[in-house]
Amino acid sequence: TFEQLKTAIESSDAVISLTNDIKAPATVSGDYALVVPAGATIEIQGNGHVLSADVTGTDVAGNLQADSSNYSMIQNNGYLTIDNLTIWGGAKSAIEVNSQNKDYSLKLTNSTIERTGSENTQGGGIRNKYGNLYIENSKISRNYASYGGGMLNEWGKLVIENSSLNENRSTVDGGGAAENKGGYFLMNNCTVANNYSNQNGGGLHNFACIENANMTVMNSTIVGNVSGKVSRVVADFVITNKAGVQCSMLSVRLLNITMLLQHLIMTIH
């Protein structure tokens, strides 16, 4: 049950193996359904099951749901490993890594994060704040946010390999699939497809603010992403490189990238 999972996670170090799908209640105490304690080491073996909010942020088609549950599924304040689990979150990020002045981490493998977020959240699928985020063989799709529809990396380290970011959406300023805000971002052998942003970066957005932002994308396919900031006829604003007022040190490296039926437009402001 949800209460059993909550108790296991809060017990500090634990290896948890799910035997059935789990749905969170309609309301929870605070902004997070599940909280990994500070410094704890938690491993969740999903075994193909689903962990979901009571009402997901988007429906199966990726449309926002007005009555979605107003919480994040997991706040990670320690060292969290998730394998073979599907997470359908509510109106806020499915997973938030909170690691300022620490070295906390999230490792996500063979998993899916989808149907999460709202117009008011930042980082629909995952929000990584100062942490170390590693994603492999996973799918991040149909999530929704103001910044970073699929993922938002804020001053952290993010490595994503052999994964896909599809049909995510951001409504304010960039990163339909993902936004890198003052952090380190490495993508290898991934597909970024059919994502949308109302502003910068239908696919990816690299933004230096306060701290440097470095993005490397290699051996990947970027296709069908749309930005509302350019003509809808030339609907292909994929990667933007934007320096904030306080910091102008940023870089984007593209290695062995396939771009299909679209232009790559890079801007420095």
Side-chain angles (χ1 to χ4, degrees):
T1 67
F2 174 80
E3 288 301 325
Q4 289 174 320
L5 175 60
K6 185 173 185 291
T7 298
I9 289 176
E10 291 177 349
S11 67
S12 193
D13 298 349
V15 176
I16 303 163
S17 182
L18 301 188
T19 58
N20 54 270
D21 295 346
I22 294 177
K23 178 180 282 192
T27 60
V28 300
S29 176
D31 293 327
Y32 307 97
L34 301 166
V35 178
V36 175
T41 300
I42 300 293
E43 179 180 344
I44 301 176
Q45 300 170 353
N47 299 312
H49 292 294
V50 176
L51 171 64
S52 75
D54 182 60
V55 180
T56 58
T58 69
D59 61 21
V60 67
N63 301 308
L64 285 176
Q65 302 202 108
D67 58 345
S68 58
S69 301
N70 192 32
Y71 51 73
S72 293
M73 291 303 298
I74 301 174
Q75 183 189 47
N76 177 35
N77 301 301
Y79 306 93
L80 175 62
T81 298
I82 296 175
D83 181 65
N84 197 18
L85 178 67
T86 293
I87 300 177
W88 298 340
K92 299 181 180 180
S93 308
I95 305 175
E96 181 177 302
V97 181
N98 185 20
S99 186
Q100 190 167 7
N101 301 321
K102 302 292 183 181
D103 194 33
Y104 297 151
S105 63
L106 167 64
K107 182 178 181 181
L108 184 76
T109 57
N110 308 305
S111 296
T112 297
I113 295 182
E114 60 186 3
R115 299 177 62 181
T116 301
S118 69
E119 292 179 326
N120 300 315
T121 196
Q122 296 187 34
I126 302 174
R127 186 176 186 180
N128 182 40
K129 300 168 65 177
Y130 296 95
N132 298 306
L133 172 58
Y134 179 71
I135 302 171
E136 184 178 18
N137 295 326
S138 294
K139 176 183 176 184
I140 298 175
S141 66
R142 296 186 177 178
N143 301 290
Y144 213 106
S146 55
Y147 299 85
M151 300 186 297
L152 175 61
N153 183 46
E154 296 179 288
W155 312 293
K157 296 178 181 178
L158 189 160
V159 176
I160 179 169
E161 298 185 288
N162 307 313
S163 298
S164 63
L165 294 91
N166 301 329
E167 299 181 22
N168 300 285
R169 179 166 182 158
S170 65
T171 60
V172 179
D173 191 18
E179 175 165 291
N180 182 45
K181 183 179 179 181
Y184 173 82
F185 183 107
L186 172 63
M187 173 179 285
N188 180 41
N189 197 30
C190 293
T191 298
V192 180
N194 305 321
N195 301 283
Y196 177 84
S197 172
N198 282 358
Q199 293 291 322
N200 295 313
L204 305 173
H205 186 214
N206 193 46
F207 178 40
C209 177
I210 303 176
E211 296 183 22
N212 301 341
N214 299 288
M215 175 181 286
T216 298
V217 182
M218 56 188 179
N219 307 315
S220 296
T221 297
I222 303 174
V223 56
N225 302 284
V226 176
S227 170
K229 199 167 184 177
V230 297
S231 166
R232 294 187 181 276
V233 177
V234 188
D236 46 25
F237 208 101
V238 179
I239 299 177
T240 64
N241 205 25
K242 183 175 180 181
V245 175
Q246 302 180 60
C247 181
S248 60
M249 296 297 294
L250 69 169
S251 67
V252 171
R253 300 176 65 215
L254 304 176
L255 307 172
N256 193 23
I257 303 302
T258 300
M259 311 287 294
L260 302 178
L261 299 177
Q262 62 192 126
H263 301 289
L264 170 63
I265 300 176
M266 296 183 63
T267 64
I268 299 178
H269 300 289

